[in-house]
Amino acid sequence: MSFSIGIVGLPNVGKSTLFKALTKIKVDIAAYPFTTIHPNVGVVRVPDERLDKIAQIFKPEKITPTIIEFIDLAGLVKGAHKGEGLGNQFLAQIRNCDAILEIIRSFENPDVENVTGKIDPKNDIETIKVELELKDLEIEERNLSSPTKLLQSKSEGKEEKENLLSKKPIIYLLNTDGKTQYQVPKIKHLIMNLKDELEILELSDLEKKELGVKSKLDQLILACYNILDLITFFTVVGQKETRAWTLKNGQTAPEAGGVVHSDFQEKFIRAEVISWQKLVETGNWKKARELGQLKTVGKDYIVRDGDIIEFKI
Ligand SMILES: Nc1nc2c(ncn2[C@@H]2O[C@H](COP(=O)(O)OP(=O)(O)OP(=O)(O)O)[C@@H](O)[C@H]2O)c(=O)[nH]1
Ligand SMILES: [Mg+2]
């Protein structure tokens, strides 16, 4: 199971720059608008110190983190819902994402065309919000005027509300150069310098220390993970593999089994569970069992963030 984050924003705001920093995939980055036409898709590991600590106990051959997918989309402009710019195609791509990461330009650079003419985060946020809402409205109207369409989408289990663009979880990221003055939007947001992030990637740990620079990419990845309301559980296969998996908050032990192996959900009988802290404290699986720290759980057990699970099928 993997979840996806769509990188959204006006043209030339740094979407592909961020995508490259996150995924290390070489993509087109240029000073003209609409550089990205077809979406770029990449997978990013979710940083997790707990996984490393568990692995220190088992010293496995393989340590597998969990992932989220990032999709670098084409720039969106005013009127996109009516097909302006790369409009409609773009909006359909957002629909397939689980959450939106919106990049807002807060850097000045005369060489990089600014399609709105000035730095105005508040206004840019509004422009995108309106486009998403207008597109939703258009689809709702189309459904209302066509009862067959409405029935069809209901029978396919596509409850329209869930799929509304304007209802998707969203994270705002101001791409700033640290110099440009702008009005801070009254919305929770992250601030990063995406161009610097690309450069930081090239530095050694020592260079980073000497220059006193620190990447914020991990922080951003975790923010994306959290906004999706996801939790992580772990599995251990002896000295072979220690692995992290993603689950929706509130899901049960059999559902977690289904993530590990398609068979496991149906065949689930029970599971043994221990929190990662407990195991790291005790330092040994066998000892944890002897001390009665492994809890046997049934089908109704709601998995908790940080659980280490052994499935019994
Ligand atoms: N000064 C400065 N330039 C940046 C920053 N981020 C991106 N740029 C530059 O802005 C231009 C556009 O960056 P992209 O990452 O291609 O922007 P985009 O949002 O993907 O653009 P489209 O695909 O055209 O919508 C490039 O020339 C980047 O080098 C930044 O933080 N500061
Ligand atoms: Mg781009």
Side-chain angles (χ1 to χ4, degrees):
M1 184 164 31
S2 105
F3 290 84
S4 61
I5 306 274
I7 306 176
V8 171
L10 294 166
N12 262 353
V13 297
K15 299 181 296 298
S16 299
T17 303
L18 171 65
F19 180 83
K20 187 178 174 197
L22 283 169
T23 63
K24 328 288 186 281
I25 296 174
K26 288 208 176 80
V27 289
D28 292 336
I29 296 174
Y32 48 83
F34 300 116
T35 303
T36 308
I37 299 174
H38 301 296
N40 301 303
V41 181
V43 155
V44 174
R45 358 165 30 145
V46 178
D48 195 332
E49 284 180 359
R50 300 171 300 180
L51 179 65
D52 303 321
K53 288 191 176 142
I54 300 166
Q56 275 168 21
I57 297 176
F58 297 95
K59 308 209 167 29
E61 288 162 26
K62 201 169 154 199
I63 303 172
T64 313
T66 191
I67 51 147
I68 32 179
E69 202 175 76
F70 281 85
I71 304 167
D72 171 29
L73 293 160
L76 172 111
V77 285
K78 210 175 192 152
H81 74 285
K82 289 185 294 188
E84 285 294 325
L86 299 168
N88 277 323
Q89 173 197 340
F90 159 87
L91 289 159
Q93 287 154 0
I94 302 183
R95 200 172 296 284
N96 293 328
C97 297
D98 297 300
I100 292 172
L101 171 56
E102 181 174 331
I103 315 295
I104 301 127
R105 177 159 168 174
S106 311
F107 66 87
E108 210 77 70
N109 184 345
D111 296 334
V112 179
E113 187 188 333
N114 186 338
V115 293
T116 63
K118 68 171 185 151
I119 305 294
D120 189 347
K122 233 174 95 191
N123 190 56
D124 294 354
I125 288 172
E126 190 60 23
T127 301
I128 296 214
K129 185 165 168 268
V130 167
E131 284 310 313
L132 300 182
E133 284 169 357
L134 287 174
K135 189 69 192 175
D136 285 340
L137 209 67
E138 189 188 296
I139 287 170
E140 278 178 344
E141 276 169 7
R142 202 191 310 152
N143 279 340
L144 285 177
S145 67
S146 158
T148 38
K149 270 218 166 100
L150 188 63
L151 275 178
Q152 192 189 347
S153 68
K154 281 206 166 135
S155 70
E156 286 169 7
K158 280 190 225 142
E159 273 300 308
E160 279 300 331
K161 260 211 178 58
E162 267 174 40
N163 223 356
L164 288 177
L165 300 175
S166 58
K167 293 283 182 286
K168 290 199 188 274
I170 184 161
I171 293 181
Y172 297 97
L173 168 55
L174 262 52
N175 181 12
T176 159
D177 53 13
K179 288 179 277 199
T180 308
Q181 294 295 317
Y182 51 86
Q183 268 200 314
V184 180
K186 283 195 195 74
I187 280 182
K188 201 174 157 213
H189 59 271
L190 297 168
I191 299 174
M192 286 171 77
N193 182 330
L194 298 179
K195 211 166 172 215
D196 278 5
E197 287 292 340
L198 267 190
E199 284 164 22
I200 293 174
L201 285 178
E202 309 287 322
L203 302 176
S204 69
D205 284 346
L206 184 67
E207 284 170 325
K208 275 187 255 186
K209 215 170 155 193
E210 278 175 6
L211 292 168
V213 291
K214 211 168 164 232
S215 169
K216 286 190 182 173
L217 286 175
D218 280 359
Q219 199 186 321
L220 173 66
I221 297 167
L222 288 176
C224 293
Y225 199 71
N226 289 334
I227 206 173
L228 289 168
D229 200 21
L230 301 175
I231 59 167
T232 302
F233 69 94
F234 305 95
T235 56
V236 170
V237 187
Q239 285 177 318
K240 267 216 155 97
E241 188 181 22
T242 301
R243 182 161 178 171
W245 306 84
T246 295
L247 200 66
K248 266 274 178 205
N249 195 8
Q251 286 193 300
T252 60
E255 283 169 319
V259 172
V260 172
H261 194 284
S262 50
D263 262 7
F264 280 17
Q265 185 160 359
E266 268 188 30
K267 292 187 181 158
F268 180 94
I269 297 171
R270 60 197 164 81
E272 283 190 313
V273 178
I274 182 169
S275 78
W276 76 276
Q277 291 107 320
K278 246 277 110 56
L279 184 73
V280 168
E281 257 169 51
T282 306
N284 182 307
W285 187 265
K286 225 173 117 197
K287 197 166 154 209
R289 171 168 288 135
E290 281 163 16
L291 292 173
Q293 292 173 341
L294 291 173
K295 208 167 36 170
T296 300
V297 300
K299 287 187 174 160
D300 296 335
Y301 178 73
I302 307 287
V303 176
R304 288 201 243 167
D305 188 41
D307 276 349
I308 305 174
I309 308 182
E310 188 168 271
F311 296 97
K312 307 285 181 188
I313 54 162

